[in-house]
């Protein structure tokens, strides 16, 4: 190895597979920022379900092996490349899309994917902002075209994206319904913007939602769906006329009856944060900045793990019951 190269700890993936393919290495070379890039000393990194799909090799986007997972990081600028004017060494920042991977002590990011971390948020909260909040904005405003006065059901509301969706929807004048799988989760959802919450592990919870929104004629205007492979068929029966289901999460196939979309002219739309344009990211960042200033953007932190427990985090985010808040790796 060349002299003068700084080394760091990072998780590396050499083959696609289960959580056990996440390998902690302590001799990874610290990357050097190029033009329009910054190097971030990572203090916290968010763990997102999509990272488990990518790691398993089943996702549509496959990185070249070996790679370091992780997109959502918060930390301090260590150095900047050429043509970077917005940031300097020592700035507190967060990013939603690292170039080199976030499960590491240092991470590269393009300067247009990095934002100042507000003083009112700590690094853990900064690592919970990117993918969850930008996904929530995209689902609500781009895919669902949600408007003030409409109702939204956040189906699986106690995780990172779910809580972000509740906070944003409530602040924008929607009637917010949420579901969670535990009493702790239900309480959290109510504390973060939902007007009503239902336990999706109860056998009759769909009937309770129908009763709440008015069974025959009304229904829910928008459903933000975190587990479409279990819920999509029921979702279609809950919608109002012209109602929209937006699929944020799905872990397999499901059988639906397309007839359920016809009478009320409802629609099903998928959401992919990776399709967001730079202009849309700027728009969403403006929404979040306003939310932080006014106090309604409040990232909720769930389980915390040291970097060496990344495999356990991947196991828990898929198989853990009743997720509450955003899962974080601490460095």
């Amino acid at each position: 190895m060349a002299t003068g190269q700084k080394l760091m700890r990072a998780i590396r993936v050499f083959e696609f597979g289960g959580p056990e393919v996440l390998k902690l290495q302590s001799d990874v070379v610290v990357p050097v920022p190029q033009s329009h890039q910054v190097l971030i000393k990572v203090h916290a990194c968010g763990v997102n379900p999509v990272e488990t799909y990518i790691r398993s090799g089943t996702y549509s986007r496959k990185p070249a092996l070996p790679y370091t997972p992780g997109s959502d990081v918060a930390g301090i600028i260590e150095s900047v490349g050429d043509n970077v004017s917005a940031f300097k060494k020592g700035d507190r920042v967060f990013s939603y899309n690292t170039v080199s991977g976030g499960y590491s002590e240092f991470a590269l990011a393009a300067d247009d994917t990095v934002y100042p971390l507000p003083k009112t948020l700590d690094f853990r909260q900064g690592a919970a902002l990117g993918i969850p909040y930008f996904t929530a904005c995209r689902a609500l405003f781009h895919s669902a075209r949600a408007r003030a006065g409409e109702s939204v059901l956040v189906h699986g509301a106690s995780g990172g994206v779910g809580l972000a969706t509740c906070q944003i929807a409530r602040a924008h004048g929607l009637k917010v319904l949420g579901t969670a799988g535990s009493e702790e989760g239900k309480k959290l959802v109510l504390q973060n913007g939902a007007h009503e919450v239902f336990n999706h592990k109860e056998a009759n919870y769909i009937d309770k939602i129908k009763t709440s929104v008015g069974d025959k004629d009304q229904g829910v205007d928008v459903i933000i769906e975190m587990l479409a492979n279990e819920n999509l068929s029921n979702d279609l029966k809950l919608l109002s006329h012209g109602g929209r289901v937006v699929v944020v999460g799905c872990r397999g196939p499901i059988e639906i009856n397309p007839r359920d979309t016809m009478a009320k002219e409802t629609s099903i739309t998928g959401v992919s944060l990776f399709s967001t344009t730079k202009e849309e990211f700027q728009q969403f960042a403006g929404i979040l900045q306003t939310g932080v200033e006014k106090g309604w953007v409040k990232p909720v932190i769930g389980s915390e793990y040291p970097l060496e427990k990344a495999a356990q985090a991947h196991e828990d985010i898929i198989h853990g019951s009743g997720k509450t808040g955003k899962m974080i790796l601490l460095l």
Side-chain angles (χ1 to χ4, degrees):
M1 191 160 292
T3 56
Q5 286 187 313
K6 287 176 64 179
L7 302 180
M8 66 177 181
R9 295 188 312 140
I11 297 293
R12 300 291 280 164
V13 175
F14 293 90
E15 60 179 330
F16 297 114
E20 69 280 356
V21 303
L22 297 171
K23 305 294 186 186
L24 178 64
Q25 298 201 305
S26 55
D27 60 351
V28 180
V29 175
V30 175
V32 176
Q34 304 302 305
S35 179
H36 292 292
Q37 290 183 338
V38 300
L39 182 68
I40 301 168
K41 184 175 187 348
V42 179
H43 284 245
C45 180
V47 180
N48 295 289
V50 69
E51 287 145 25
T52 71
Y53 313 150
I54 294 170
R55 182 215 70 227
S56 69
T58 59
Y59 196 62
S60 55
R61 295 169 72 249
K62 281 197 183 76
L65 296 169
Y67 78 98
T68 294
S71 298
D72 282 332
V73 299
I76 294 174
I77 298 285
E78 178 74 10
S79 59
V80 302
D82 293 338
N83 303 307
V84 175
S85 57
F87 301 102
K88 65 183 183 307
K89 181 179 170 67
D91 287 349
R92 297 170 81 249
V93 295
F94 74 96
S95 176
Y96 64 85
N97 188 18
T98 64
V99 174
S100 58
Y103 295 11
S104 57
E105 291 179 317
F106 294 90
L108 279 183
D111 60 355
D112 61 0
T113 67
V114 177
Y115 300 92
L117 179 62
K119 291 186 176 69
T120 51
L121 301 182
D122 62 26
F123 290 120
R124 298 174 313 149
Q125 291 174 305
L129 273 177
I131 285 182
Y133 280 83
F134 285 126
T135 298
C137 284
R138 186 166 182 81
L140 281 169
F141 302 124
H142 177 272
S143 302
R145 308 203 184 288
R147 299 181 296 276
E150 290 190 313
S151 58
V152 58
L153 170 64
V154 185
H155 213 157
S158 63
V161 179
L163 291 171
T165 305
C166 290
Q167 292 172 6
I168 295 166
R170 179 68 177 255
H172 285 79
L174 283 91
K175 180 183 179 184
V176 183
L177 311 177
T179 77
S182 67
E183 287 306 309
E184 179 195 5
K186 286 175 64 179
K187 185 177 175 185
L188 199 58
V189 171
L190 283 174
Q191 289 170 344
N192 285 277
H195 294 85
E196 286 185 79
V197 65
F198 306 86
N199 187 335
H200 52 227
K201 291 186 176 174
E202 290 181 2
N204 63 339
Y205 85 97
I206 294 291
D207 295 328
K208 290 184 178 180
I209 296 174
K210 285 181 178 177
T211 301
S212 172
V213 298
D215 193 359
K216 289 282 185 235
D217 305 316
Q218 289 150 317
V220 183
D221 298 311
V222 173
I223 298 177
I224 307 298
E225 180 52 65
M226 307 301 171
L227 197 60
N229 51 295
E230 287 193 12
N231 301 323
L232 189 56
S233 183
N234 282 328
D235 288 344
L236 295 177
K237 299 177 178 69
L238 287 171
L239 289 173
S240 65
H241 190 90
R244 296 87 78 195
V245 178
V246 176
V247 177
V248 171
C250 184
R251 298 180 186 167
I254 184 173
E255 183 174 311
I256 63 167
N257 185 348
R259 185 179 293 277
D260 292 336
T261 67
M262 294 167 66
K264 292 185 176 180
E265 296 189 322
T266 57
S267 63
I268 304 165
T269 305
V271 62
S272 170
L273 187 61
F274 301 115
S275 300
T276 307
T277 65
K278 286 185 180 181
E279 292 73 24
E280 288 166 340
F281 271 120
Q282 289 174 339
Q283 176 195 346
F284 300 157
I287 292 170
L288 299 188
Q289 186 174 357
T290 300
V292 171
E293 289 169 358
K294 295 193 171 180
W296 51 259
V297 164
K298 299 171 293 191
V300 178
I301 306 306
S303 307
E304 301 176 10
Y305 300 79
L307 185 61
E308 58 267 23
K309 298 282 189 185
Q312 187 63 52
H314 271 219
E315 185 74 28
D316 292 349
I317 200 168
I318 296 301
H319 299 295
S321 60
K323 285 192 294 293
T324 54
K326 173 73 176 162
M327 190 176 281
I328 298 290
L329 296 177
L330 290 175
L331 289 95

